[in-house]
Coordinates of all heavy atoms in Angstrom, one line a residue:
Y143 N -22.8 -14.1 -5.8 CA -21.8 -13.1 -6.2 C -22.4 -11.8 -6.7 O -22.0 -10.7 -6.4 CB -20.8 -13.7 -7.1 CG -19.7 -12.7 -7.5 CD1 -18.9 -12.2 -6.5 CD2 -19.4 -12.3 -8.8 CE1 -17.8 -11.3 -6.8 CE2 -18.4 -11.4 -9.1 CZ -17.6 -10.9 -8.1 OH -16.6 -10.1 -8.4
P144 N -23.5 -11.9 -7.6 CA -24.0 -10.6 -8.1 C -24.5 -9.7 -6.9 O -24.4 -8.5 -7.0 CB -25.2 -11.1 -8.9 CG -24.8 -12.4 -9.4 CD -24.1 -13.0 -8.2
Q145 N -25.0 -10.3 -5.9 CA -25.5 -9.5 -4.7 C -24.3 -8.8 -4.0 O -24.4 -7.7 -3.6 CB -26.2 -10.4 -3.7 CG -27.5 -10.9 -4.3 CD -28.2 -11.9 -3.3 OE1 -28.1 -11.6 -2.1 NE2 -28.9 -12.9 -3.8
V146 N -23.2 -9.6 -3.9 CA -22.0 -9.0 -3.3 C -21.4 -7.8 -4.1 O -21.1 -6.8 -3.5 CB -20.9 -10.1 -3.2 CG1 -19.5 -9.5 -2.7 CG2 -21.3 -11.3 -2.3
V147 N -21.4 -8.0 -5.4 CA -20.9 -6.9 -6.3 C -21.8 -5.7 -6.1 O -21.4 -4.5 -6.0 CB -20.8 -7.3 -7.8 CG1 -20.5 -6.2 -8.7 CG2 -19.8 -8.4 -7.9
S148 N -23.2 -5.9 -6.1 CA -24.1 -4.8 -6.0 C -23.9 -4.1 -4.7 O -24.0 -2.9 -4.6 CB -25.6 -5.4 -6.1 OG -25.8 -5.9 -7.4
R149 N -23.7 -4.9 -3.6 CA -23.5 -4.3 -2.3 C -22.2 -3.4 -2.3 O -22.2 -2.3 -1.8 CB -23.3 -5.4 -1.2 CG -23.0 -4.9 0.2 CD -24.0 -4.1 0.8 NE -23.6 -3.5 2.0 CZ -24.3 -2.5 2.7 NH1 -25.3 -2.0 2.1 NH2 -23.8 -2.1 3.8
I150 N -21.1 -3.9 -2.9 CA -19.9 -3.1 -3.0 C -20.2 -1.8 -3.8 O -19.7 -0.7 -3.4 CB -18.8 -3.9 -3.7 CG1 -18.3 -5.1 -2.8 CG2 -17.6 -3.0 -4.0 CD1 -17.4 -6.0 -3.5
K151 N -20.9 -1.9 -4.9 CA -21.2 -0.7 -5.7 C -22.1 0.3 -5.0 O -21.9 1.5 -5.1 CB -22.0 -1.2 -7.0 CG -21.1 -1.8 -8.0 CD -21.9 -2.2 -9.3 CE -21.0 -2.7 -10.4 NZ -21.8 -3.0 -11.6
V152 N -23.0 -0.2 -4.2 CA -23.9 0.7 -3.4 C -23.0 1.5 -2.4 O -23.1 2.7 -2.3 CB -25.0 0.0 -2.7 CG1 -25.7 0.8 -1.6 CG2 -26.0 -0.6 -3.7
M153 N -22.1 0.8 -1.7 CA -21.2 1.4 -0.8 C -20.3 2.4 -1.4 O -20.0 3.5 -0.8 CB -20.4 0.3 0.0 CG -21.2 -0.6 0.9 SD -20.3 -2.0 1.4 CE -19.1 -1.3 2.6
A154 N -19.8 2.1 -2.7 CA -18.9 3.0 -3.4 C -19.6 4.0 -4.2 O -18.9 4.8 -5.0 CB -18.0 2.1 -4.2
K155 N -20.9 4.1 -4.1 CA -21.8 5.1 -4.9 C -21.5 4.9 -6.4 O -21.4 5.9 -7.1 CB -21.5 6.5 -4.5 CG -21.9 6.8 -3.0 CD -21.6 8.2 -2.6 CE -22.2 8.5 -1.2 NZ -21.6 7.7 -0.1
L156 N -21.5 3.7 -6.9 CA -21.3 3.4 -8.3 C -22.7 3.0 -8.9 O -23.7 2.8 -8.2 CB -20.3 2.2 -8.5 CG -18.9 2.4 -8.0 CD1 -18.1 1.2 -8.3 CD2 -18.2 3.6 -8.7
N157 N -22.8 3.0 -10.2 CA -24.0 2.6 -10.9 C -24.2 1.1 -10.8 O -23.5 0.3 -11.4 CB -23.9 3.1 -12.4 CG -25.2 2.8 -13.1 OD1 -26.1 2.1 -12.6 ND2 -25.3 3.4 -14.3
V158 N -25.2 0.7 -10.0 CA -25.5 -0.8 -9.8 C -25.9 -1.5 -11.1 O -25.5 -2.6 -11.3 CB -26.5 -1.0 -8.7 CG1 -26.8 -2.5 -8.5 CG2 -26.1 -0.3 -7.4
A159 N -26.6 -0.8 -11.9 CA -27.1 -1.4 -13.2 C -26.1 -1.5 -14.3 O -26.2 -2.3 -15.2 CB -28.3 -0.5 -13.7
E160 N -25.0 -0.7 -14.2 CA -24.0 -0.7 -15.3 C -23.0 -1.9 -15.0 O -22.2 -1.8 -14.1 CB -23.3 0.6 -15.3 CG -22.2 0.7 -16.4 CD -22.7 0.4 -17.8 OE1 -23.4 1.3 -18.3 OE2 -22.5 -0.7 -18.3
K161 N -23.1 -2.9 -15.9 CA -22.2 -4.0 -15.8 C -21.2 -4.2 -17.0 O -20.4 -5.1 -17.0 CB -23.0 -5.3 -15.6 CG -23.9 -5.3 -14.4 CD -24.8 -6.5 -14.4 CE -25.8 -6.4 -13.3 NZ -26.8 -7.4 -13.3
R162 N -21.4 -3.3 -18.0 CA -20.6 -3.5 -19.2 C -19.4 -2.6 -19.3 O -18.5 -2.9 -20.1 CB -21.5 -3.1 -20.4 CG -22.8 -4.0 -20.6 CD -23.7 -3.3 -21.5 NE -24.1 -2.0 -21.1 CZ -24.8 -1.1 -21.8 NH1 -25.1 -1.4 -23.0 NH2 -25.1 0.1 -21.3
L163 N -19.3 -1.6 -18.4 CA -18.2 -0.7 -18.4 C -17.4 -0.8 -17.1 O -18.0 -1.0 -16.0 CB -18.6 0.7 -18.6 CG -19.2 1.1 -20.0 CD1 -19.9 2.5 -20.0 CD2 -18.2 1.0 -21.1
P164 N -16.1 -0.5 -17.1 CA -15.3 -0.4 -15.9 C -15.8 0.8 -15.0 O -16.2 1.8 -15.6 CB -13.9 -0.2 -16.3 CG -13.9 -0.6 -17.8 CD -15.2 -0.4 -18.3

Side-chain angles (χ1 to χ4, degrees):
Y143 184 59
Q145 297 177 33
V146 173
V147 175
S148 294
R149 175 64 186 166
I150 294 170
K151 285 182 173 181
V152 168
M153 291 167 73
K155 296 181 174 60
L156 300 178
N157 184 348
V158 179
E160 182 55 77
K161 300 171 185 174
R162 299 164 302 168
L163 292 171

